[in-house]
Structure formats: C-alpha cells, structure tokens
Amino acid sequence: MGTRRRWDGFPVFNYTLFIVLGIIMLYPFWYVLMYSLNDPSVPTSVGFNLYPKEFSLDTYRQVLSQSTLYTGFMNSLIVTAGGTLISMLLTISCAYPLSKTRLKGRNGFFWLFFFTMLFSGGMIPTYILVSKLHMVNTLWALMVPNAVVVFYMIIMTKFFRGIPEELIESAKIDGAHDFYILVRIVLPLSKAVLAAVGLMYGVGKWNEFMAGIIYINDSKKYVLQVILNSMLNEQTLASQAGSSTVSSPESVKMAAVILTIMPIVMVYPFLQKYFVKGMLIGAVKG
C-alpha cells in the first residue's frame, strides 16, 4: 500500500503572507499615483480607492510646465552620477585594503572608520569645513561630503574577503601588481556587490535634499528635490491666499513624489538581481 502524503500548509501560508505584505507595501505608492492622476477639482473628501474618480493630467502639466524643473533634473543627474562615482571609488579604495589580513594596522583603521558611524562633527563644523574648501554654492558640496558610508564599505570589505586568495596569489606569481589585480580580477568578480552598493549610493544622492538647502544659494544650481519643495510651498501659499490655482497643494505633493521616485523605479529592475545577491553575499561571508 502506498503511504499517504501529509499535506504541508507552510508553502500556502508563506505565499499568502508575502502576497499580503506585498499589497500592504504597494498600496501607499498606488494611492499616491492615483491621487496625482485624479482631477484636482474633485474634493478630497470623495476619497480615492483603486482608480481616480476623474482621470486628469492637469497636475502633471502644471508641475512640468515649470522651466526650473528641468534645470533641477539635470543638476540631480550630475550630482547622482558624479557623487556615486566618487563614492564608489573611495569606498573601493578603502574596502579592498581592509579586506587583506597582511595590511598592518588593519584593525585600527577599521575602528577609526567604525567610530564615524557612531559620532559625527555635526552640522556647523561640517558647514565650516565645506566653506573652507570653497565648495559652498557648488554641486561639489552635494557630492564630496559624506562620500563614504561606512556600512556600505563594510559590506564591500566582506565581499572582497570571500574572493579566493588563490586567484590573487597566482596573479602575483605572474607578476601582477595590486592595482592590476584589483581592476582586472577583483572588480569583475564583484559585480553583485558593486551594483548593490552603487544603487544605494545613487538613491541617496538622488534624494539629497538637506545638503541642497544648506549649501546651495544659487537657484540655477538647485537639485530636483529642492525645486519641487519650493513649488509645493508656493502652491500652498497661493492656496492659503485664495489665489486661483489649477491643482491643490496635496495633488502637487503627490505628483512631486511620483516624479521624484520614477527614475529610481525605472533603474531598479535592471539591478535587482545584483542588488539581492550583493547584499546577501556581502552580509554572510567574511
């Protein structure tokens, strides 16, 4: 007689749980999107469910009609691309030596880096330093300060430690120096962690807001987030003053959120597999 297979309900529970969690996490984004696509003349008391009550692109037309928006978009692209490149170069330059046990004083250097995760100089000393370096009112102020995130450096260091030492030794026997080994052997094998850390740096640079408020005074150098915030404040003041506006402040806010996150949402699917792999390997190896 064949044995009766016992029904295992764990997979069903597991899939159900993650589907419910996915819906809970997706709904706020969907709500914001539907709110921004709703006709701004419809009262907010009507509420918004899975679709807009009256579909309209008036809010997006109002936001995109601002010429300063495109200037901010280009500034954000420059800060994101340049800042991510600088951060990656500095992080790799710190992580690779720290992954080698032969580095003298390696533990001391590591604890110096780790100390900065717990304590910082504060806003005023940082501003004074940036001012002394003549970076105030330049895009460099958004790219150079806080260029290295120690947590990301630790992830990359642990990943580099997982690369077989035999590859490094065989390259040295063939006469390769450390820089050649890093560029031609280590980095090609580290695409996962490079994509993961690069994505996190890019998201951080793209969402940079406070630094743009503190260090930038020239409106031509405002990044996208600062310009969208200014537009929202102007819309709120106009609404409070009783001026006739095309869209409500809430609709502008929702459209601004969508415009801000869309570039990252479009890039993320191409880096997702590297992001997950890099985070897992970097977290467990070492």
Side-chain angles (χ1 to χ4, degrees), residues 51-260:
Y51 56 91
K53 298 298 181 182
E54 294 185 20
F55 181 83
S56 174
L57 295 176
D58 290 343
T59 302
Y60 286 97
R61 293 192 185 98
Q62 178 183 348
V63 174
L64 294 175
S65 65
Q66 305 293 327
S67 59
T68 55
L69 187 72
Y70 301 97
T71 302
F73 185 81
M74 291 304 301
N75 290 335
S76 290
L77 283 181
I78 295 172
V79 170
T80 301
T84 301
L85 178 61
I86 293 172
S87 296
M88 290 297 292
L89 290 176
L90 293 176
T91 303
I92 292 171
S93 301
C94 295
Y96 183 66
L98 288 175
S99 67
K100 302 302 175 184
T101 56
R102 66 177 184 272
L103 177 66
K104 295 182 179 180
R106 181 171 67 104
N107 292 333
F109 287 119
F110 175 81
W111 283 108
L112 285 177
F113 283 113
F114 183 74
F115 181 83
T116 62
M117 294 181 63
L118 306 177
F119 304 98
S120 64
M123 182 182 298
I124 294 178
T126 302
Y127 183 87
I128 294 175
L129 176 61
V130 173
S131 178
K132 293 295 183 181
L133 294 175
H134 304 288
M135 291 191 297
V136 173
N137 212 31
T138 67
L139 295 181
W140 291 107
L142 308 182
M143 295 186 285
V144 177
N146 300 319
V148 176
V149 177
V150 179
F151 177 70
Y152 301 161
M153 186 197 71
I154 294 174
I155 293 176
M156 194 174 292
T157 300
K158 290 183 175 295
F159 191 97
F160 288 157
R161 288 180 187 175
I163 296 177
E165 192 65 26
E166 291 78 7
L167 292 175
I168 311 298
E169 296 299 330
S170 62
K172 287 186 176 181
I173 293 175
D174 293 335
H177 50 78
D178 287 327
F179 184 76
Y180 181 91
I181 293 172
L182 173 63
V183 174
R184 300 300 297 272
I185 298 177
V186 175
L187 294 185
L189 295 175
S190 306
K191 293 180 181 179
V193 72
L194 294 179
V197 174
L199 179 62
M200 291 187 289
Y201 272 128
V203 171
K205 296 299 181 182
W206 178 263
N207 292 329
E208 191 67 72
F209 174 73
M210 283 303 301
I213 293 292
I214 296 172
Y215 300 123
I216 306 298
N217 301 318
D218 187 357
S219 60
K220 295 181 179 179
K221 298 178 181 178
Y222 283 164
V223 292
L224 181 61
Q225 285 69 24
V226 176
I227 291 178
L228 290 175
N229 181 71
S230 300
M231 292 173 55
L232 179 60
N233 291 336
E234 293 174 0
Q235 186 77 9
T236 303
L237 291 176
S239 177
Q240 292 175 351
S243 302
S244 58
T245 56
V246 176
S247 302
S248 65
E250 288 298 322
S251 297
V252 174
K253 183 187 300 183
M254 300 302 180
V257 170
I258 296 298
L259 292 174
T260 302

Side-chain angles (χ1 to χ4, degrees), residues 257-268:
V257 170
I258 296 298
L259 292 174
T260 302
I261 66 176
M262 280 308 296
I264 300 300
V265 172
M266 294 172 63
V267 171
Y268 181 78

